[in-house]
């Protein structure tokens, strides 16, 4: 392992520790990410993990929200574009993409984000229930209802429309 890799590994371990401690404390907390200059909070109870995906492989005949397939921690994942989900346009390609891994172990979804920001303590009354971006904090951070996000049909690879296929011919 090179010096740079050792430094990055130590930094990653140090940054990951508070997430584990916070989740174990039972407090309502969320990981905050930035997507297209807007901050979003994903409750930790709904996030399997935050990771980096390297070298996303594009797929033919998929909706624009699908970046492609990527590998994080040895797991092959469908990677979806957080910028498209948030109503923006696709960002520049990167060698390594930060993702939040959501959903069931047998059907994980990796949502690409621009960057990890930190943690947010959620007040007990904050429980997003409807829509994918239902509540906003005083600081303007959207609190994401992950269960609603996972039920959104745009996150299903099995729903390729004829217009999407035609767009790629």
């Amino acid at each position: 392992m090179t010096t740079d890799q050792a430094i990055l590994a130590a930094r990653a371990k140090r940054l990951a520790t508070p997430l584990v401690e916070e989740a174990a404390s039972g407090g309502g907390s969320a990981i905050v990410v930035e997507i297209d200059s807007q901050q979003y909070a994903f409750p930790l109870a709904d996030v399997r993990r935050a990771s980096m995906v390297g070298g996303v492989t594009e797929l033919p005949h998929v909706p624009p929200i699908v970046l492609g397939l990527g590998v994080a921690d040895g797991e092959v994942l469908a990677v979806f574009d957080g910028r498209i989900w948030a109503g923006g346009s696709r960002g520049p390609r990167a060698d390594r993409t930060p993702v939040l891994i959501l959903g069931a172990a047998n059907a994980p979804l990796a949502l690409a984000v621009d960057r990890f920001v930190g943690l947010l303590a959620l007040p007990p009354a904050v429980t997003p229930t409807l829509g994918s971006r239902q509540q906003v904090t005083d600081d303007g951070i959207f609190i994401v209802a992950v269960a609603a996000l996972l039920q959104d049909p745009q996150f299903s690879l099995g729903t390729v429309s004829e217009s999407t296929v035609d767009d790629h011919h």
Side-chain angles (χ1 to χ4, degrees):
M1 183 179 297
T2 68
T3 303
D4 289 340
Q5 289 173 325
I7 291 169
L8 291 174
R11 183 181 301 157
K13 185 176 180 180
R14 188 173 58 249
L15 291 173
T17 302
L19 291 177
V20 173
E21 291 171 0
E22 189 72 26
S25 72
S29 56
I31 183 168
V32 179
V33 299
E34 186 174 279
I35 302 172
D36 208 14
S37 302
Q38 174 62 53
Q39 291 187 350
Y40 296 88
F42 288 76
L44 285 180
D46 298 325
V47 176
R48 287 189 41 215
R49 69 184 186 274
S51 191
M52 297 294 284
V53 170
V56 175
T57 302
E58 292 184 31
L59 299 171
H61 312 296
V62 295
I65 195 167
V66 179
L67 283 176
L69 294 178
V71 177
D73 306 321
E75 183 177 19
V76 177
L77 301 163
V79 181
F80 292 83
D81 193 332
R83 286 174 167 244
I84 301 289
W85 166 75
S89 59
R90 183 159 289 175
R93 290 187 51 92
D95 291 337
R96 300 203 31 89
T97 304
V99 296
L100 289 179
I101 300 172
L102 312 167
N106 63 345
L109 177 147
L111 185 67
V113 302
D114 293 333
R115 69 183 184 98
F116 301 120
V117 176
L119 292 175
L120 173 69
L122 297 174
V126 175
T127 52
T129 55
L130 302 172
S132 59
R133 297 183 297 263
Q134 188 60 25
Q135 297 183 346
V136 181
T137 68
D138 293 339
D139 296 330
I141 300 171
F142 286 101
I143 300 170
V144 178
V146 174
L149 180 145
L150 292 171
Q151 293 176 0
D152 189 324
Q154 68 181 333
F155 291 109
S156 172
L157 288 176
T159 59
V160 178
S161 69
E162 287 183 26
S163 64
T164 303
V165 172
D166 290 341
D167 290 343
H168 292 293
H169 284 290

